């Protein structure tokens, strides 16, 4: 922290930063109209802030997006319904929209590519929305991801046909609804970190994802990491942290 502060003070003395910019750099956030934008998150934890859009209006998201653009920071927002995305199209004309993942994004700086890959597996096609959210977040964070869709336990031969490809990944994200069995099979077959995501797909006693969640939490496959229901974002960020540490270790840090 002392070295960072000294660097900022030098930039002020050289005239590169004014006092207001220096304060913002030191405190690590920018005040928007309804939000404080965390401009220092990448320096602290290795990835930029991701905006959660479900509880925000299109106008609020557009205002936050504008602050990101002014600060030349990459912007991505998750949790967006099709209706909200349509409401943003005229407000964020320079953004890219990914409705199948509930995401809007604007990339203004090159993304630092990291060594390592993540396999994103879905049990069924009903889980694709969550999987595509995870894949978008991984790629936003510079992590390569490959999607293997609809390879659940109802036809285990489909899963086994991808076994060799999946084995080459550094981290595996497994997304399943219904009874949530696929992460247990994956965790018993592969040595990599396995991150399980229950989804709300399923009839009656699937209980909007709670049955899958309970199955994953009580899995007999040791060492599964389980995130919240439909939380592709959380699974991706768990994988990013693992990949970031592997990269730091490889670089000697």
């Amino acid at each position: 922290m002392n070295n960072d502060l000294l660097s900022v003070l030098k930039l002020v003395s050289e005239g590169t930063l004014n006092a207001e910019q220096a304060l913002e750099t030191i405190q690590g956030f920018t005040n928007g109209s309804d939000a404080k934008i965390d401009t220092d998150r990448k320096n602290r934890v290795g990835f930029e802030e991701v905006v959660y859009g479900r509880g925000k209006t299109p106008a609020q998201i557009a205002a936050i997006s504008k602050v990101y653009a002014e600060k030349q920071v990459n912007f991505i927002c998750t949790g967006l319904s099709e209706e909200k995305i349509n409401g943003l199209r005229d407000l964020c004309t320079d953004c890219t929209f990914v409705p199948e993942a509930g995401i809007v994004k604007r990339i203004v700086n090159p993304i630092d590519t990291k060594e390592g890959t993540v396999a994103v597996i879905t049990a069924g096609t009903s889980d694709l929305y969550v999987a595509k959210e995870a894949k978008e977040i991984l790629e936003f964070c510079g992590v390569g991801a490959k999607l293997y869709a609809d390879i659940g336990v109802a036809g285990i031969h489909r899963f086994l046909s991808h076994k060799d490809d999946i084995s080459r990944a550094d981290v595996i994200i497994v997304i399943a609804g219904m009874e949530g069995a696929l992460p247990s099979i994956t965790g018993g077959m592969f040595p990599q970190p396995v991150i399980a995501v229950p989804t709300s797909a399923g009839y009656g006693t699937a209980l909007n994802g709670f049955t899958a969640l309970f199955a994953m939490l009580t899995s007999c496959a040791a060492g599964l990491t389980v995130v919240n229901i439909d939380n592709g974002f959380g699974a991706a960020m768990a994988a990013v942290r693992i990949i970031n540490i592997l990269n730091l270790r490889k670089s000697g840090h």
Side-chain angles (χ1 to χ4, degrees), residues 207-224:
L207 300 175
N208 293 318
F210 278 94
T211 296
L213 172 64
F214 295 151
M216 294 173 190
L217 288 172
T218 55
S219 171
C220 61
L224 288 186

Side-chain angles (χ1 to χ4, degrees), residues 17 32 36 44 51 65 67 86 90 112 125 144 171 173 200 250:
L17 292 180
K36 287 182 170 60
R44 294 196 320 273
V51 178
S65 168
V67 176
N86 289 335
D90 291 334
D112 296 328
T125 54
V171 182
I173 294 174
S200 51
K250 286 178 182 177

Side-chain angles (χ1 to χ4, degrees), residues 93-204:
T93 54
D94 57 345
C95 287
T96 300
F97 297 90
V98 192
E100 65 271 21
I103 278 174
V104 58
K105 61 185 178 180
R106 183 198 298 107
I107 308 301
V108 295
N109 295 312
I111 293 172
D112 296 328
T113 302
K114 300 175 175 68
E115 275 191 60
T117 59
V118 177
V120 181
I121 300 170
T122 79
T125 54
S126 296
D127 308 314
L128 275 173
Y129 179 92
V130 177
K132 288 180 178 179
E133 178 184 71
K135 189 171 185 291
E136 284 286 334
I137 294 298
L138 288 164
E139 291 171 352
F140 179 77
C141 294
V143 177
K146 186 169 181 181
L147 177 61
Y148 302 88
D150 196 23
I151 57 171
V153 298
I156 197 65
H157 57 291
R158 299 172 301 175
F159 175 81
L160 296 174
S161 71
H162 293 287
K163 181 174 178 288
D164 290 342
D165 287 339
I166 294 167
S167 70
R168 298 187 188 99
D170 296 283
V171 182
I172 304 171
I173 294 174
V174 189
I175 303 165
M178 301 290 189
E179 84 284 24
L182 188 58
S184 290
I185 292 171
T186 307
M189 188 170 291
F190 298 103
Q192 297 96 318
V194 176
I195 302 165
V197 190
T199 75
S200 51
Y203 300 106

Side-chain angles (χ1 to χ4, degrees), residues 31-37 56-57 59-61 63-64:
N31 284 308
S33 58
D34 291 309
K36 287 182 170 60
I37 312 304
K56 297 178 178 66
T57 66
Q60 287 173 322
I61 295 167
I64 292 169

